[in-house]
Amino acid sequence: MKRSALHSEHSNAGATFGEYSGWELPAYFVRPNQEAAKIRESVGVADLSYLSKFDLKTKPERLSWCLSATHYLILGQASSPVPAEAIDVTSVYAALRLAGPNSREVLRKLSSLNVSDTALPNFGCGQASLAHIPGIFLREDIGAIPAFHLLITRDYAVSAWKAILHAGREFGLCSSGIEALRSLSN
Amino acid sequence: MKFFFQRKPVEATPGDTIASALYRDGRRIFSRSFKYHRPRGLLCVSGNCPNCMMNVDGVPNVRTCVTPVREGMSVKSQNAFPSLETDFLSATQCFDRLMPVGWYYKTFTHPAMWHAAEPIIRKAAGLGEILPTRPAEYEHEWIHTDAAIIGGGWAGIHAALTMAEHGDAIVLVDDQTALGGQLRYGKSTDAVPADAIAKLQGAANVRILQDSSCFGMYEGNLLGILQRNPHSDANERLVHLRAKRVVVATGTFETPILFPNNDLPGVMLSTGVRRLLHLHGIVPGRRAVVLGGGAVAEEIASELRAAGVEIAAVVEPREVVSARGSAQVKGIQTSNGNFTCDLIVICGPHVPNAGLVAQAGGKLEWNNDRGAFLPADLPPNVSVAGDAAGEMLPNALPPLSTHKRAFVCLCSDVSCKDLCDGIAEGFDQIETLKRYTTATMGPCQGRMCQLSAIGICAHDTGRTVAETGVTTSRPPNPSVTLGALAGPSHHPTRFTPMHSSHQRMGAVWMDMGGWKRSRYYKRHEAATESESVLLEHKSVRETVGIIDVSTLGKLDVRGRDASRLLDLVYTHRFSELRVNQVRYALMCDSGGIILDDGTISRLAEDRYFVTTTSGNLDFVHQWLQWQLVGKQWDVHICNVTAGYGAMNLAGPKSRDVLAQLADCDLSSTAFPYMACREAKISECHALLLRIGFVGETGWEIHCPAESAEGVWQRLLDAGKKFGIEAFGVEAQRLLRLEKRHVIVGVDTDALTNPYEAGLGWAVKLDKEDFVGKSLLAHAAKNQTREKLVGFILKEAGLPKDGAAIVMNGQPVGRVTSSRFSPIQNGAIGLAFVRASEAREGTSIQVRVDGKLTPATVTMRPFYDPEGLRLRQ
């Protein structure tokens, strides 16, 4: 099965794995509803590396993230097809999901990017350093809960994950599995 | 609460600082001065002077007068031997004639003298000692805000409230433990605006940074702030605060008056007395003399009387002759009589704390009426409020002194006489006087001494204070721990998809461009590096080996003009490369100098897979994009380095191993050397390149990173019966050296062109114009100054990289790579020599461990020169 760059980290943290689109990723670390509660109350981070990602030079006909006038990113499965000229970069990036009312506070300890509500509104994105690692920040809230996708190239994933956990200690950040996130989206 | 001073327990109450607890316990000597080891006691009690500095829990130079006590703290004195009470080195005062201002420059005129004296001076003079092993946690935070207000006194609180009511996002920075500024130690605690503070604390758009010092203002309204103990898991936090508007409301600090023995324990600033009285409830003495005039002096005298202190006299500063006492103030001699006392209270001038204004680009101008340097010429978006702007009471400037025991700079023991002597020696500008005498250059960074130093300089040079000016204010002020600037010790490391597999196999790691790579594998406890490398080498040459090359840079280049771009940037022709073929790719700059190399595989008419050397990917990516600027070419370049795990399976048995897992025909007819195919390896889509960096039959296999470790493991399993070994970077270096394969950046440098490196075959001068063409054409026709050749050492030894090549006693070149080769049973290598030596069989000498060792030049690969093994 396909494995995320964080597989050993998750394993050492006692994760229970599940299969998501052919990838072996944490379903939960402790219990899904406990992790979901922590996210609602403070902040949590999950590994969503299975999400498909496509890189484009021109704006596609469908929903995408605009990183610059000549750089677009499609994230995740959707009903509409991916343009033929898109380059599949699913393997290139690890995708982390940081969610919770304290997610901005955690990001402020890791990046100089202005992540305030006005500077980075919902569905806004930016590129900046994340703990000295080049990162792509995509804001996509889960309902009323502020949340971000953090894309870093796979080779840096372990360092980024550790930095996020370290910065999040102050807020009781929990490692979250995919089940918890899914329950929040419903 | 209890803490330890010099290992003995001391009682403290909550709210105490270390100094207040020690003072209450009866301590009066807190440190010994830098040069003369004079006893020093509490003076400012505000964190502005150096007198209370001690070592706390392994941290030196902690200002104990503003550091809250914590249970179990271990506090030690500094720079005092054997104790604060008795310091042998205070005897240096007897030799002060031998150590006048600038004495280093006058005495140590011979280099040997300084080298002899330096260790002694370093031990005798100084501040604290660092404990390198002390664990500490540092954090960083970045805050963007509409307005930053520096200073949480009355002016700062007022400004914050006003701006917050407008709806702006506000950050209020205050260096004390609670808001209120000097109102907290005024006569009555009612002065602290509790309602206003509560409002600020409750406002959603206000962030208060307490225990935070703003140490500098940088370009673009970027403020550097150091927050102490932000939460239980961190010692210090460095905050980068960027604000649209900055309000400097930092108030003033009180400075001392100059008179002989003004540095004795028991001489205290009125602010310090007030802090002891009203913040800590400590009666600072029994019988006091107040130095000052008018209402200011009367007020502090009445506060002391109310606390039960006897006021012996209120004396005008101009009447002071000298303070008396040796370890402690015993009395004061004035022109109106002598008084006994154990406390001298100075009502000194208040200096606006406006360094941030100067750093922001504003000016500090002397205002005679107020007796202070006040902010002026403020840049837009920076304003000053409160006492820092000059709203405090005007200062009556105290008289100056010329005495050798009237101290100006307490940090460096610089006396008034020292300053006068310095001026007399010709250092009559404030900036040069500062540097010559070191006044204002100590831990207090001029807070206590700048005004006095300027006053003396002005007086002795016959200038006005305004003409003399101030010295340049530079951040950080106050000082910042280097650890805090560095931040959390997370050094980003890049891992390949097969990392845990290498770990399990005993990989010995090396760092390469941020990546962790396996140097070699330690298969058992006693295995040495050379044994392991030779074992790995043998398996590649005789059976099969596999190496993780995921660190190679990889670019996906596609589009109608992809061929055009590659033809432009690389020296070979890529528009003519057939689909499913690989070609060596050499890149030069416009001077014809080698920039990088790699391979290019054509996957389709308009799609290429480009590899680069591991460390150069970012550069090559940028270089390609740079070449596209201004051209309307249809090319899409994507950095896919991390998306593929890559491995090189090589050796005579590599086909047997791969055939078990790959779904394509691997025979030399179906899959010749320098061909590429997309195939499935155990259900995983992979790109196979038949190339041979190490000189054996082999494939470079690229598969999606999420599946790479699985493929790696399955190849290892399939290869077991053939004796497969994983090999590391060291073995790879040796294998490629035997094939005389060049590594760009190791065997080439910033001046090497392809003809010098033996790579002229990769340059197609009959192409249309490409980067470097004209100079490459020139280089092709002209004799090169040096050439890269191979050499075989004739005797035992192993040259280091960079070792000299010598002919007839003259250095004529240098070694670029060298290794012991089991095939030659001796050292082989590559070296640059002059063109005249670049002939098969030439005898040269190589400097090995200082000895000139004979070697023979060879122009051919050391192993399989015809390249037959590769093509099998």
Side-chain angles (χ1 to χ4, degrees):
Chain A
M1 252 207 290
K2 301 180 181 183
R3 281 188 174 181
S4 140
L6 297 170
H7 191 89
S8 301
E9 297 296 311
H10 297 323
S11 202
N12 292 342
T16 301
F17 291 90
E19 188 190 322
Y20 302 93
S21 303
W23 288 65
E24 192 180 8
L25 284 165
Y28 58 89
F29 286 85
V30 184
R31 280 207 322 269
N33 46 3
Q34 210 168 311
E35 290 157 22
K38 194 74 205 182
I39 290 173
R40 258 189 245 104
E41 159 213 322
S42 177
V43 61
V45 64
D47 184 351
L48 296 186
S49 292
Y50 75 90
L51 288 176
S52 46
K53 310 150 195 102
F54 293 90
D55 189 292
L56 298 112
K57 256 185 9 136
T58 53
K59 189 163 160 43
E61 287 292 306
R62 48 162 289 173
L63 224 54
S64 65
W65 297 89
C66 174
L67 294 175
S68 83
T70 52
H71 192 188
Y72 293 82
L73 193 70
I74 292 174
L75 180 70
Q77 304 285 39
S79 42
S80 33
V82 171
E85 65 270 17
I87 298 182
D88 188 340
V89 291
T90 304
S91 312
V92 176
Y93 294 101
L96 307 179
R97 194 89 163 99
L98 184 72
N102 280 327
S103 44
R104 280 195 194 91
E105 275 62 32
V106 174
L107 288 177
R108 283 200 187 103
K109 290 171 74 171
L110 298 168
S111 177
S112 60
L113 185 69
N114 190 347
V115 293
S116 69
D117 189 41
T118 38
L120 192 68
N122 202 7
F123 301 113
C125 59
Q127 293 176 90
S129 159
L130 177 77
H132 306 297
I133 296 163
I136 298 174
F137 298 66
L138 313 172
R139 179 174 161 195
E140 187 177 351
D141 291 351
I142 303 174
I145 306 172
F148 300 83
H149 294 280
L150 304 170
L151 301 188
I152 61 261
T153 53
R154 210 197 134 98
D155 49 343
Y156 280 118
V158 172
S159 294
W161 179 260
K162 284 188 170 155
I164 292 170
L165 291 183
H166 185 255
R169 276 178 322 171
E170 188 187 347
F171 310 101
L173 176 143
C174 74
S175 305
S176 168
I178 295 175
E179 294 308 316
L181 275 185
R182 288 198 169 166
S183 74
L184 286 170
S185 304
N186 298 338
Chain B
M1 276 203 285
K2 197 166 63 196
F3 69 101
F4 297 92
F5 178 66
Q6 315 284 53
R7 305 244 178 94
K8 297 205 188 64
V10 179
E11 290 296 320
T13 51
D16 257 339
T17 58
I18 297 170
S20 69
L22 288 172
Y23 198 93
R24 197 183 293 112
D25 193 53
R27 167 150 301 279
R28 294 295 178 265
I29 300 178
F30 283 74
S31 70
R32 287 280 174 164
S33 69
F34 177 78
K35 183 179 176 188
Y36 294 130
H37 291 253
R38 286 168 69 86
R40 293 276 165 85
L42 296 185
L43 170 67
C44 72
V45 202
S46 311
N48 287 325
C49 76
N51 287 4
C52 67
M53 294 203 297
M54 295 184 176
N55 184 307
V56 177
D57 289 337
V59 181
N61 302 339
V62 173
R63 285 190 167 81
T64 53
C65 65
V66 289
T67 307
V69 176
R70 277 205 304 275
E71 183 72 40
M73 258 179 173
S74 166
V75 181
K76 298 199 172 86
S77 63
Q78 300 183 152
N79 200 35
F81 182 80
S83 72
L84 283 174
E85 277 63 42
T86 313
D87 187 347
F88 294 157
L89 283 169
S90 56
T92 46
Q93 287 177 89
C94 307
F95 303 99
D96 60 359
R97 283 238 175 86
L98 297 175
M99 299 186 290
V101 64
W103 72 287
Y104 289 178
Y105 311 119
K106 297 166 190 162
T107 310
F108 301 107
T109 49
H110 189 279
M113 294 172 69
W114 175 247
H115 288 305
E118 186 189 353
I120 301 170
I121 294 176
R122 279 194 188 280
K123 270 217 122 42
L127 301 166
E129 268 182 39
I130 293 174
L131 187 68
T133 53
R134 188 184 77 93
E137 282 281 342
Y138 299 105
E139 288 189 345
H140 278 200
E141 189 181 352
W142 286 262
I143 304 178
H144 298 256
T145 189
D146 293 323
I149 295 149
I150 315 298
W154 166 236
I157 291 170
H158 182 74
L161 264 179
T162 316
M163 287 172 151
E165 264 149 29
H166 279 146
D168 288 340
I170 310 282
V171 175
L172 175 61
V173 182
D174 184 62
D175 63 359
Q176 303 294 302
T177 50
L179 294 177
Q182 49 178 297
L183 297 175
R184 289 171 63 227
Y185 46 93
K187 243 181 336 211
S188 139
T189 47
D190 290 344
V192 175
D195 287 340
I197 291 173
K199 242 190 182 156
L200 284 174
Q201 285 165 341
N205 57 336
V206 175
R207 169 111 180 250
I208 300 173
L209 292 174
Q210 207 68 61
D211 279 302
S212 305
S213 307
C214 180
F215 60 81
M217 173 108 80
Y218 301 87
E219 206 177 321
N221 276 8
L222 176 66
L223 294 154
I225 291 161
L226 188 71
Q227 185 176 34
R228 287 167 287 280
N229 302 312
H231 60 97
S232 56
D233 284 325
N235 296 79
E236 286 175 337
R237 176 183 290 172
L238 188 80
V239 179
H240 312 243
L241 176 61
R242 206 177 278 276
K244 297 201 185 94
R245 289 187 311 284
V246 178
V247 178
V248 177
T250 43
T252 60
F253 44 81
E254 192 175 10
T255 59
I257 294 177
L258 306 173
F259 53 87
N261 293 325
N262 61 340
D263 67 329
L264 276 174
V267 177
M268 236 185 254
L269 294 172
S270 67
T271 332
V273 169
R274 285 204 165 92
R275 286 176 73 108
L276 283 178
L277 274 175
H278 303 302
L279 276 182
H280 301 296
I282 293 174
V283 180
R286 282 194 316 269
R287 193 173 140 90
V289 168
V290 176
L291 289 190
V296 173
E298 277 310 318
E299 224 174 283
I300 186 70
S302 74
E303 282 172 51
L304 283 165
R305 271 189 211 105
V309 177
E310 190 192 337
I311 305 295
V314 176
V315 174
E316 288 281 342
R318 63 170 179 278
E319 294 167 358
V320 178
V321 173
S322 142
R324 301 243 301 281
S326 53
Q328 163 77 25
V329 162
K330 291 275 176 0
I332 186 168
Q333 195 182 343
T334 78
S335 54
N336 269 346
N338 299 347
F339 304 94
T340 52
C341 59
D342 64 351
L343 177 68
I344 296 178
V345 183
I346 293 178
C347 299
H350 287 256
V351 174
N353 187 3
L356 283 177
V357 168
Q359 290 167 25
K363 286 205 186 59
L364 293 171
E365 281 171 2
W366 180 249
N367 183 309
N368 238 359
D369 295 329
R370 306 212 76 85
F373 283 94
L374 298 184
D377 277 358
L378 295 173
N381 299 321
V382 177
S383 58
V384 194
D387 286 2
E391 286 173 19
M392 78 292 182
L393 294 171
N395 292 319
L397 288 185
L400 304 168
S401 171
T402 55
H403 199 274
K404 71 173 186 177
R405 290 284 180 265
F407 287 91
V408 178
C409 172
L410 296 162
C411 297
S412 316
D413 275 347
V414 179
S415 68
C416 297
K417 179 171 189 300
D418 289 330
L419 282 177
C420 298
D421 288 348
I423 294 167
E425 285 177 45
F427 299 94
D428 58 357
Q429 303 291 317
I430 191 64
E431 292 278 13
T432 53
L433 182 63
K434 157 191 158 179
R435 286 159 176 79
Y436 187 64
T437 61
T438 76
T440 77
M441 291 177 74
C444 88
Q445 295 177 270
R447 277 186 280 278
M448 294 290 103
C449 52
Q450 192 181 73
L451 187 63
S452 310
I454 293 170
I456 292 174
C457 184
H459 179 264
D460 266 29
T461 56
R463 294 194 205 102
T464 65
V465 171
E467 283 167 339
T468 306
V470 290
T471 53
T472 312
S473 170
R474 291 190 181 88
N477 187 342
S479 53
V480 187
T481 329
L482 287 173
L485 288 171
S489 46
H490 292 307
H491 298 293
T493 311
R494 305 166 81 176
F495 297 102
T496 71
M498 289 81 101
H499 186 85
S500 26
S501 175
H502 302 315
Q503 188 76 21
R504 282 192 302 273
M505 293 194 291
V508 172
W509 298 108
M510 65 186 285
D511 290 309
M512 261 183 73
W515 293 93
K516 281 274 182 237
R517 294 198 71 184
S518 176
R519 190 181 167 81
Y520 64 94
Y521 296 87
K522 206 169 151 86
R523 291 163 179 81
H524 58 90
E525 194 48 50
T528 61
E529 177 170 339
S530 55
E531 271 170 32
S532 311
V533 172
L534 288 175
L535 184 152
E536 290 165 20
H537 170 274
K538 185 166 196 250
S539 68
V540 176
R541 289 273 178 253
E542 293 178 12
T543 52
V544 58
I546 186 167
I547 180 172
D548 177 352
V549 292
S550 305
T551 61
L552 282 171
K554 310 167 199 79
L555 295 169
D556 183 314
V557 182
R558 51 175 91 175
R560 274 194 321 271
D561 294 309
S563 333
R564 242 174 128 187
L565 177 65
L566 297 175
D567 276 355
L568 173 68
V569 176
Y570 287 92
T571 60
H572 211 304
R573 270 185 290 266
F574 291 94
S575 47
E576 287 171 17
L577 185 65
R578 285 195 307 263
V579 173
N580 291 331
Q581 289 296 108
V582 195
R583 183 166 282 168
Y584 175 70
L586 183 69
M587 176 194 281
C588 294
D589 66 11
S590 48
I593 306 295
I594 297 173
L595 285 176
D596 195 47
D597 71 352
T599 62
I600 296 182
S601 307
R602 192 170 197 165
L603 305 179
E605 182 66 33
D606 60 351
R607 215 154 49 89
Y608 293 85
F609 183 71
V610 176
T611 69
T612 74
T613 57
S614 297
N616 258 347
L617 185 282
D618 288 327
F619 166 75
V620 173
H621 191 186
Q622 274 180 34
W623 182 251
L624 288 174
Q625 284 172 322
W626 172 244
Q627 298 298 331
L628 284 174
V629 167
K631 301 178 174 70
Q632 308 303 322
W633 290 5
D634 173 36
V635 190
H636 186 181
I637 306 168
C638 200
N639 176 0
V640 294
T641 302
Y644 290 92
M647 53 214 97
N648 185 13
L649 183 73
K653 296 289 176 198
S654 56
R655 183 179 282 110
D656 299 292
V657 175
L658 191 55
Q660 292 173 60
L661 302 172
D663 71 345
C664 66
D665 187 342
L666 298 171
S667 66
S668 273
T669 32
F671 202 147
Y673 180 59
M674 298 310 276
C676 66
R677 303 273 181 271
E678 289 178 87
K680 275 227 193 106
I681 300 187
S682 294
E683 303 311 304
C684 173
H685 285 280
L687 176 65
L688 275 60
L689 314 183
R690 183 152 172 211
I691 53 182
F693 190 49
V694 296
E696 300 295 334
T697 307
W699 283 265
E700 191 174 278
I701 301 162
H702 294 259
C703 37
E706 64 269 15
S707 311
E709 189 167 29
V711 171
W712 166 271
Q713 199 53 58
R714 259 169 258 139
L715 285 167
L716 277 171
D717 292 340
K720 233 187 231 146
K721 61 178 186 262
F722 299 100
I724 194 171
E725 292 290 347
F727 65 103
V729 175
E730 257 312 295
Q732 188 197 45
R733 291 270 162 102
L734 169 58
L735 290 161
R736 67 95 198 175
L737 186 61
E738 289 174 334
K739 285 293 296 184
R740 211 180 176 287
H741 283 149
V742 163
I743 293 180
V744 169
V746 172
D747 304 303
T748 69
D749 62 24
L751 294 176
T752 311
N753 71 47
Y755 302 99
E756 291 166 339
L759 295 170
W761 58 267
V763 181
K764 298 301 169 201
L765 291 169
D766 53 354
K767 256 197 324 184
E768 255 181 48
D769 196 24
F770 61 93
V771 176
K773 179 175 177 180
S774 46
L775 276 149
L776 283 168
H778 178 82
K781 283 204 285 281
N782 296 308
Q783 183 68 286
T784 57
R785 17 156 225 133
E786 57 178 17
K787 264 188 145 48
L788 189 68
V789 300
F791 68 87
I792 302 171
L793 212 62
K794 299 262 82 140
E795 288 172 14
L798 183 63
K800 291 197 184 51
D801 294 350
I805 305 286
V806 176
M807 286 281 281
N808 300 326
Q810 291 301 312
V812 299
R814 70 196 181 287
V815 172
T816 61
S817 306
S818 180
R819 294 287 189 280
F820 175 83
S821 163
I823 291 174
Q824 295 286 339
N825 200 25
I828 59 169
L830 293 173
F832 276 108
V833 295
R834 293 178 305 198
S836 49
E837 275 90 40
R839 281 190 315 270
E840 188 74 29
T842 309
S843 293
I844 55 172
Q845 287 175 308
V846 185
R847 193 180 295 281
V848 183
D849 293 329
K851 197 172 73 109
L852 291 180
T853 313
T856 317
V857 167
T858 172
M859 303 302 286
R860 317 197 68 215
F862 308 90
Y863 170 79
D864 185 28
E866 307 302 325
L868 300 169
R869 308 267 299 183
L870 281 172
R871 289 167 169 76
Q872 273 171 3

